[in-house]
Amino acid sequence: MKYSSVNFASDPVDSEDGSLPGKGRFRVSEKEVCRDLREGRKGYDERVARGLARQPEMKEVFTTGGGIPLERLYTPMDIEGLDYCRDLGFPGSYPYTRGVQPTMYRGRFWTMRQYAGFATAAESNARYRYLLEQGQTGLSVAFDLPTQIGYDSDHPMARGEVGKVGVAIDSLADMETLFREIPLGKVSTSMTINAPAAVLLAMYIAVGEKQGVPASELSGTIQNDILKEYIARGTYIFPPKPSMRLITDIFGFCSDNVPKWNTISISGYHIREAGSTASQEVAFTLADGLAYVQAAVKAGLDPNVFGQRLSFFFNAHNDFLEEVAKFRAARRLWARLMKERMGVSEPKALMLRFHTQTAGSTLTAQQPENNIVRVAIQALASVMGGTQSLHTNSFDEALALPTEKSVGIALKTQQIIAYESGATSTVDPLAGSYVIESLTSEIERQALEYIDKIEEMGGMLVAIEKGYPQQEIQDAAYQYQKAVESDERVVVGVNRFQVDEDGGGRELLRVDPSVGENQEKALKAMKQGRDNVLVGNRLDEVKAAARDENLNLMPAMIDAVKVYATEGEICGVLREEFGEYRENIVL
């Protein structure tokens, strides 16, 4: 007969039939527990039915933000198939459901990494140094749109966009200014850059060298996730095949030369921002991850080695319970996929380590101060879910780039959770909650269904070409918007609890319109002062490396940026060799 253990608080009194309670382990048959539970549940349901006749619930059906039905009450019957050792285990051990570190935040808090960057490198450098003085523990760089798509600030395509949504970086000169007086040997830096990630990483390595910090001592992350650009965001440059080559070249180069660097941050954030559900965010992110692993293995790399430097990037949305369960489900599913499908045995290569950013899409221009509360809830869900680093959005970001004051409030939100909430004092504090465990298993099940369907199609690249994830995300976004417009889903201050607002007197950050003009002037002066013959030679070497698939592109790019070849010039050479991607969905 199977037994379950129940603890009692009285003094120990032992008896063979278990008729008397004891402080030790009181053992009763699982069959008896289930019988009593089912009878008790029946009585509860009968009482609820009588109550509903007098006072109905507010909705006929309750669901998570992602549409998963929520029961009125969860009991052990809802997690009957859960096996603790198989499905939960212990923190720091496979399948990592309960976290990737044995003691989690008892030993060290997550990295508080506020995403920042605007206008010129000098202005962004000032913001970074302010954040570090306020207690931020890592940098996260936002680049402007021209930089993200490989254009210099003087390119016609850059006009009107220079420095608007991030910092403008044209050359090593800008990168040197961006990190002036910031010791790269002591600070971890995350860079949200994808299509030209190799170029920006080359610049970062060159800046480190100028500071006397060897590449082997640099730590940080580049996003470097091009597949989600095809799916949800759109800042791609090259077709998928050469883009995947650039990614695997980075994997290989960093494994040998920059071992502390996370070579990719596989991003579900933008997938969720585009309108996906929580389950879709997990599914499409991990499917992208599998595609990168498969490409790297095909290129001859060992997943037990490069798998240790993979990281992930997730969104923290409003539905607290679902978000906590989502993070736990993602960890467990990734560990199983890497072990069972990719044959990985190295424990560190099975771990899903992730950065979280609170949900920009949930910020409202109406009553923007409400966003402080939204961000706090989302940040707490991230911590309860076991994130390794966190960015909290500023309350005014639905209106403009954040002010120094609003960024400070966002950072203090993290610090209050860390130092005052008590949420960090025990590992995986919501584990064992019937609803959390049930939602964790359901999100894992739904995500795995999507992943299996994508694999049946031939993998993520084929699925993207067919428009499958794009269409699924669009459908989910439509359903969510329809629910908001019908008042089925309440957004405080938008479709319920509105107030009249004049918006006057609110302090907002405005980027000086002259930023683009000044950046162009600085770029022109830099080009006149460099050795342009040497730059031409280095660009020819980049072109030669691009033509030879047996060569790794990173060394040629590093040599080029060191002589102040610009990002636009390097990407221009690659555009000539690789071509440019044009979306062509076949439905």
Side-chain angles (χ1 to χ4, degrees):
M1 180 180 289
K2 289 184 178 179
Y3 291 89
S4 59
S5 298
V6 181
N7 285 314
F8 290 85
S10 60
D11 291 335
V13 180
D14 297 321
S15 65
E16 280 190 13
D17 64 1
S19 58
L20 295 174
K23 189 176 180 182
R25 309 293 289 179
F26 182 79
R27 302 171 72 81
V28 295
S29 74
E30 197 171 89
K31 185 177 181 180
E32 288 172 335
V33 171
C34 290
R35 182 189 65 207
D36 292 345
L37 178 58
R38 293 180 195 284
E39 289 176 358
R41 179 59 188 263
K42 182 180 178 182
Y44 168 79
D45 288 340
E46 289 171 354
R47 291 193 300 276
V48 167
R50 290 194 296 271
L52 290 177
R54 297 188 300 272
Q55 177 64 57
E57 294 177 328
M58 288 184 287
K59 294 187 286 187
E60 287 187 18
V61 179
F62 287 74
T63 67
T64 67
I68 297 173
L70 283 172
E71 301 295 332
R72 180 179 296 112
L73 176 73
Y74 285 81
T75 72
M77 291 189 293
D78 295 288
I79 57 171
E80 283 182 322
L82 190 76
D83 182 289
Y84 185 93
C85 292
R86 181 195 67 207
D87 300 320
L88 297 182
F90 292 90
S93 300
Y94 183 87
Y96 304 103
T97 311
R98 304 201 62 186
V100 295
Q101 299 295 337
T103 62
M104 289 300 290
Y105 308 131
R106 287 169 67 105
R108 175 187 168 192
F109 292 131
W110 60 94
T111 301
M112 298 178 192
R113 192 189 297 280
Q114 290 299 105
Y115 183 52
F118 63 97
T120 64
E123 289 172 277
S124 292
N125 172 263
R127 174 65 62 88
Y128 294 157
R129 286 190 284 151
Y130 165 77
L131 288 168
L132 290 170
E133 289 167 3
Q134 295 300 305
Q136 178 172 295
T137 52
L139 298 177
S140 184
V141 182
F143 297 97
D144 72 354
L145 191 57
T147 304
Q148 292 181 48
I149 54 177
Y151 291 119
D152 288 336
S153 298
D154 59 358
H155 193 283
M157 289 289 287
R159 206 150 289 151
E161 293 293 339
V162 176
K164 288 292 178 66
V165 299
V167 61
I169 298 293
D170 294 321
S171 73
L172 181 59
D174 293 322
M175 206 68 148
E176 290 167 345
T177 301
L178 188 66
F179 293 105
R180 188 181 66 245
E181 297 180 32
I182 297 174
L184 299 192
K186 297 179 180 178
V187 174
S188 168
T189 303
S190 174
M191 296 190 285
T192 303
I193 195 73
N194 295 283
V199 182
L200 274 298
L201 176 58
M203 290 183 186
Y204 192 83
I205 291 169
V207 172
E209 186 177 303
K210 281 180 171 286
Q211 290 189 2
V213 181
S216 59
E217 294 303 311
L218 296 173
S219 64
T221 305
I222 41 172
Q223 193 163 100
N224 197 27
D225 177 7
I226 200 61
L227 292 180
K228 68 96 175 46
E229 297 296 329
Y230 301 130
I231 294 171
R233 193 160 174 265
T235 62
Y236 42 70
I237 302 175
F238 315 113
K241 184 179 178 182
S243 292
M244 293 295 277
R245 179 196 165 184
L246 284 168
I247 290 168
T248 56
D249 278 2
I250 290 170
F251 287 180
F253 179 83
C254 289
S255 290
D256 295 335
N257 300 282
V258 202
K260 296 181 180 180
W261 196 265
N262 296 320
T263 51
I264 192 167
S265 178
I266 305 161
S267 176
Y269 184 85
H270 304 96
I271 290 170
R272 192 67 177 278
E273 288 291 282
S276 80
T277 66
S279 297
Q280 289 171 342
E281 181 187 357
V282 173
F284 298 147
T285 305
L286 300 196
D288 284 349
L290 284 177
Y292 294 127
V293 173
Q294 290 160 354
V297 169
K298 189 176 180 181
L301 302 177
D302 182 356
N304 286 292
V305 177
F306 74 78
Q308 298 181 49
R309 305 315 302 176
L310 302 179
S311 65
F312 290 78
F313 175 23
F314 287 114
N315 196 302
H317 226 264
N318 275 337
D319 194 313
F320 181 80
L321 298 177
E322 184 176 48
E323 292 303 289
V324 174
K326 177 190 77 178
F327 298 130
R328 300 171 84 248
R331 263 195 307 270
R332 184 161 77 202
L333 182 52
W334 181 249
R336 287 173 168 169
L337 290 169
M338 287 291 274
K339 183 176 182 179
E340 296 168 12
R341 298 196 182 183
M342 300 310 302
V344 172
S345 58
E346 167 58 46
K348 289 184 179 179
L350 297 172
M351 294 178 182
L352 183 146
R353 297 165 299 113
F354 64 96
H355 169 73
T356 311
Q357 181 174 337
T358 56
S361 61
T362 67
L363 302 179
T364 62
Q366 302 93 327
Q367 302 175 34
E369 290 81 4
N370 293 345
N371 295 329
I372 298 173
V373 182
R374 292 186 178 101
V375 167
I377 292 169
Q378 294 163 7
L380 184 59
S382 306
V383 171
M384 291 292 201
T387 191
Q388 275 62 69
S389 71
L390 177 61
H391 163 90
T392 35
N393 289 328
S394 300
F395 73 87
D396 53 358
E397 287 189 65
L399 301 168
L401 289 171
T403 63
E404 201 166 88
K405 179 180 178 180
S406 65
V407 166
I409 292 171
L411 178 58
K412 297 303 178 188
T413 300
Q414 295 196 47
Q415 292 167 341
I416 290 168
I417 291 172
Y419 292 97
E420 298 186 30
S421 73
T424 61
S425 296
T426 188
V427 179
D428 192 21
L430 296 184
S433 159
Y434 302 130
V435 63
I436 290 293
E437 298 301 353
S438 178
L439 284 174
T440 298
S441 295
E442 179 59 19
I443 291 171
E444 180 185 21
R445 185 193 67 77
Q446 290 188 7
L448 187 57
E449 279 190 0
Y450 273 116
I451 290 168
D452 286 343
K453 185 167 183 177
I454 289 166
E455 290 296 297
E456 288 170 8
M457 289 181 179
M460 199 49 155
L461 281 174
V462 175
I464 290 169
E465 289 171 356
K466 291 183 176 181
Y468 172 67
Q470 297 96 310
Q471 189 62 57
E472 290 293 306
I473 293 167
Q474 288 170 18
D475 290 347
Y478 172 73
Q479 292 301 324
Y480 180 84
Q481 188 61 33
K482 192 166 72 168
V484 171
E485 291 180 4
S486 67
D487 285 353
E488 178 185 342
R489 197 165 290 281
V490 175
V491 181
V492 173
V494 176
N495 62 357
R496 194 86 62 86
F497 313 114
Q498 299 99 325
V499 295
D500 292 330
E501 297 179 280
D502 59 17
R506 186 171 284 133
E507 179 190 356
L508 296 175
L509 177 66
R510 304 293 184 191
V511 175
D512 190 328
S514 67
V515 164
E517 181 181 338
N518 292 338
Q519 187 71 11
E520 282 191 51
K521 289 179 180 176
L523 178 59
K524 183 178 180 181
M526 186 279 296
K527 286 181 176 179
Q528 290 174 342
R530 69 186 182 181
D531 185 336
N532 284 293
V533 173
L534 185 56
V535 169
N537 292 337
R538 293 292 182 264
L539 291 174
D540 286 342
E541 290 170 6
V542 172
K543 180 180 291 189
R547 287 178 178 172
D548 187 346
E549 292 190 2
N550 294 316
L551 291 178
N552 190 304
L553 272 158
M554 282 300 300
M557 287 187 182
I558 292 171
D559 287 344
V561 301
K562 283 182 178 179
V563 297
Y564 296 90
T566 68
E567 183 208 38
E569 290 168 335
I570 294 171
C571 287
V573 166
L574 297 180
R575 278 183 166 95
E576 292 174 8
E577 293 303 314
F578 296 155
E580 292 187 71
Y581 178 73
R582 295 286 183 268
E583 189 172 32
N584 182 28
I585 294 176
V586 180
L587 297 175

